[in-house]
Amino acid sequence: MSGMASESSFRNLEVWQESMTLVEEIYAVSRSFPADERFGLTAQLRRAAISIPSNIGEGTHRKKRKVLLNHLDVALGSKGEVDVQLELAKRLRFCAAADHARLQQRVDRIGRMLNGLIRSRQEESEH
């Protein structure tokens, strides 16, 4: 893809699609978290998950590649937050081992995809 992404093209990015699925899955799993965590881990996990596709979408609408790369970097940071918060949910026994394993696989895949997208955009800006 040359230049900046077109308005709807972020929806075609597999990493955006995967991260949207992650948000849906996190909402579903976190519904069973303890009620007293509603404003704690539940809210933090959901917010961090939402940040991933949001930053991908916002970054692709920016005109400058450097700003896009910054948004992708923020999405990668949010992926790191989700990673830690899922581990906490597992250790606190808020989610089943099978749910954690499934979510963790998706989070890891999103991380690899984001790193690849960042690398490809950096290489484009060097040419």
Side-chain angles (χ1 to χ4, degrees), residues 63-93:
K63 296 191 186 306
K64 296 186 179 185
R65 187 167 318 281
K66 184 176 180 181
V67 179
L68 166 63
L69 288 168
N70 182 62
H71 280 280
L72 294 177
D73 192 52
V74 171
L76 192 58
S78 295
K79 175 262 175 205
E81 287 183 62
V82 170
D83 214 349
V84 170
Q85 292 159 0
L86 283 175
E87 180 67 21
L88 284 169
K90 181 182 91 173
R91 289 179 180 211
L92 295 169
R93 295 186 174 91

Side-chain angles (χ1 to χ4, degrees), residues 45-65:
L45 178 57
R46 288 175 173 183
R47 215 174 0 259
I50 290 167
S51 177
I52 300 169
S54 297
N55 275 288
I56 294 167
E58 184 176 350
T60 59
H61 285 292
R62 299 304 184 108
K63 296 191 186 306
K64 296 186 179 185
R65 187 167 318 281

Side-chain angles (χ1 to χ4, degrees), residues 2-120:
S2 64
M4 291 292 94
S6 68
E7 189 165 312
S8 65
S9 67
F10 71 89
R11 289 180 178 85
N12 297 325
L13 292 171
E14 191 177 352
V15 67
W16 182 82
Q17 295 167 6
E18 282 286 316
S19 61
M20 290 294 286
T21 300
L22 176 67
V23 172
E24 293 169 332
E25 291 177 341
I26 282 179
Y27 265 77
V29 168
S30 64
R31 280 188 193 105
S32 65
F33 285 12
D36 64 343
E37 282 298 322
R38 193 171 89 209
F39 300 110
L41 186 59
T42 304
Q44 279 191 281
L45 178 57
R46 288 175 173 183
R47 215 174 0 259
I50 290 167
S51 177
I52 300 169
S54 297
N55 275 288
I56 294 167
E58 184 176 350
T60 59
H61 285 292
R62 299 304 184 108
K63 296 191 186 306
K64 296 186 179 185
R65 187 167 318 281
K66 184 176 180 181
V67 179
L68 166 63
L69 288 168
N70 182 62
H71 280 280
L72 294 177
D73 192 52
V74 171
L76 192 58
S78 295
K79 175 262 175 205
E81 287 183 62
V82 170
D83 214 349
V84 170
Q85 292 159 0
L86 283 175
E87 180 67 21
L88 284 169
K90 181 182 91 173
R91 289 179 180 211
L92 295 169
R93 295 186 174 91
F94 291 171
C95 69
D99 288 332
H100 177 268
R102 178 175 40 82
L103 291 169
Q104 190 61 57
Q105 283 181 335
R106 190 172 306 279
V107 169
D108 292 345
R109 182 164 190 243
I110 289 167
R112 289 189 301 273
M113 294 168 83
L114 276 170
N115 277 313
L117 184 57
I118 290 168
R119 265 191 313 276
S120 73

